[in-house]
């Protein structure tokens, strides 16, 4: 016997659709990318490149814990990396390698140019596997670009007397602002608020006549 189709729903009511919900998996946690230095460049310490005329465009592998023979140690051993150009641009890509803490306590890096654009791309592993970094990037007449590793955690001070200061989207989201062009990148603990001298990472970026841009090394400048 054939059963009429309407008899299956005698009251003629429309059946409500069944709602099925799927639990969304949480987004994967961000992982600090592993720093792999170019295998063709040997690690060095107390690197100094000073040029009066011409640009400096080079990749460096810096190991601040590397010990040098006494007769090769520079007289100014307070800087592990010093790059300076008088008339020319600076474009430095620096890989920080090695574990442990140098005798100075921090890995000290200074990059500067008197006339020309100054750019430093800094790549470093997680802060727990390296020494704190003290970074200084300056230009007198020209723009300054600093790209920090994601592992950077500490105060960031910026200054542009005649120019704009711009931060990338990612760096703005990871920072807490304290006054004009001063901020702390990353989180800090209450135990650190009583420290008279900061023992972690720190960076100072300055241009007398030019713009300043600071971001992360894995971001594009347009972000």
């Amino acid at each position: 016997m054939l059963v009429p189709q309407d008899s299956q729903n005698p009251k003629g009511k429309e059946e409500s659709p069944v709602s099925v919900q799927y639990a969304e998996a949480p987004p994967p946690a961000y992982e600090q990318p592993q720093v792999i230095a170019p295998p063709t460049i040997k690690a060095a310490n107390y690197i100094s490149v000073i040029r009066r005329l011409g640009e400096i465009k080079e990749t460096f592998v810096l190991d601040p814990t590397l010990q040098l023979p006494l007769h090769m140690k520079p007289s100014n051993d307070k800087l592990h990396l010093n790059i300076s150009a008088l008339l020319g641009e600076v474009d430095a890509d620096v890989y920080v390698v090695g574990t442990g803490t140098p005798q100075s306590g921090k890995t000290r890096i200074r990059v500067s140019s008197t006339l020309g654009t100054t750019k430093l791309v800094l790549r470093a592993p997680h802060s727990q596997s390296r020494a704190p970094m003290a970074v200084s990037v300056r230009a007198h007449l020209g723009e300054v670009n600093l790209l920090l590793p994601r592992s950077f955690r500490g105060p960031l001070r910026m200054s542009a007397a005649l120019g704009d200061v711009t931060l990338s989207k990612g760096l703005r989201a990871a920072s807490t602002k304290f006054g004009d062009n001063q901020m702390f990148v990353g989180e800090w603990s209450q135990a650190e608020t009583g420290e008279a001298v900061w023992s972690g990472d720190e960076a100072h970026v300055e241009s007398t006549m030019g713009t300043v841009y600071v971001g992360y090394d894995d971001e594009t400048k347009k972000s």
Side-chain angles (χ1 to χ4, degrees):
M1 180 178 65
L2 298 177
V3 180
Q5 188 174 2
D6 293 343
S7 64
Q8 298 178 7
N9 188 8
K11 296 183 179 181
K13 294 183 179 180
E14 295 183 358
E15 296 181 358
S16 58
V18 179
S19 176
V20 180
Q21 297 182 352
Y22 297 92
E24 295 184 359
Y30 178 82
E31 294 184 0
Q32 172 71 25
Q34 185 179 3
V35 177
I36 302 177
T40 56
I41 303 177
K42 294 191 67 174
N45 195 8
Y46 302 116
I47 304 170
S48 180
V49 180
I50 300 175
R51 193 162 298 165
R52 292 185 174 274
L53 181 61
E55 68 174 8
I56 301 174
K57 187 174 183 180
E58 194 170 343
T59 299
F60 302 90
V61 179
L62 173 64
D63 184 352
T65 64
L66 187 64
Q67 297 297 318
L68 300 182
L70 292 178
H71 66 276
M72 294 182 60
K73 197 171 183 180
S75 56
N76 182 11
D77 59 356
K78 294 182 179 180
L79 293 173
H80 298 95
L81 176 64
N82 181 28
I83 304 173
S84 177
L86 181 61
L87 299 175
E89 298 182 355
V90 175
D91 188 352
D93 197 345
V94 179
Y95 292 80
V96 179
V97 299
T99 57
T101 303
Q103 295 179 353
S104 60
K106 290 189 178 185
T107 302
R108 302 192 179 276
I109 298 172
R110 183 172 67 188
V111 179
S112 64
S113 175
T114 303
L115 180 59
T117 300
T118 305
K119 179 181 179 181
L120 170 62
V121 181
L122 189 58
R123 311 178 193 276
H126 195 278
S127 57
Q128 295 179 352
S129 61
R130 61 167 174 81
M133 299 182 297
V135 183
S136 173
V137 186
R138 301 170 183 263
H140 179 69
L141 184 58
E143 66 178 274
V144 175
N145 297 283
L146 172 61
L147 301 182
L148 294 167
R150 291 274 180 177
S151 63
F152 182 92
R153 175 180 169 273
L156 170 63
R157 299 177 179 87
M158 299 162 292
S159 174
L162 297 175
D164 296 328
V165 175
T166 305
L167 295 178
S168 71
K169 181 179 179 180
L171 196 64
R172 287 197 306 269
S175 304
T176 302
K177 189 175 182 179
F178 296 98
D180 292 338
N181 299 329
Q182 297 187 46
M183 56 193 57
F184 190 95
V185 181
E187 301 291 337
W188 74 90
S189 65
Q190 290 297 319
E192 295 171 328
T193 58
E195 293 185 5
V197 179
W198 176 249
S199 59
D201 296 330
E202 55 184 316
H204 185 198
V205 190
E206 180 181 356
S207 177
T208 305
M209 300 179 66
T211 60
V212 168
Y213 175 84
V214 185
Y216 283 123
D217 64 334
D218 58 355
E219 289 182 304
T220 59
K221 190 172 181 179
K222 293 182 180 180
S223 65

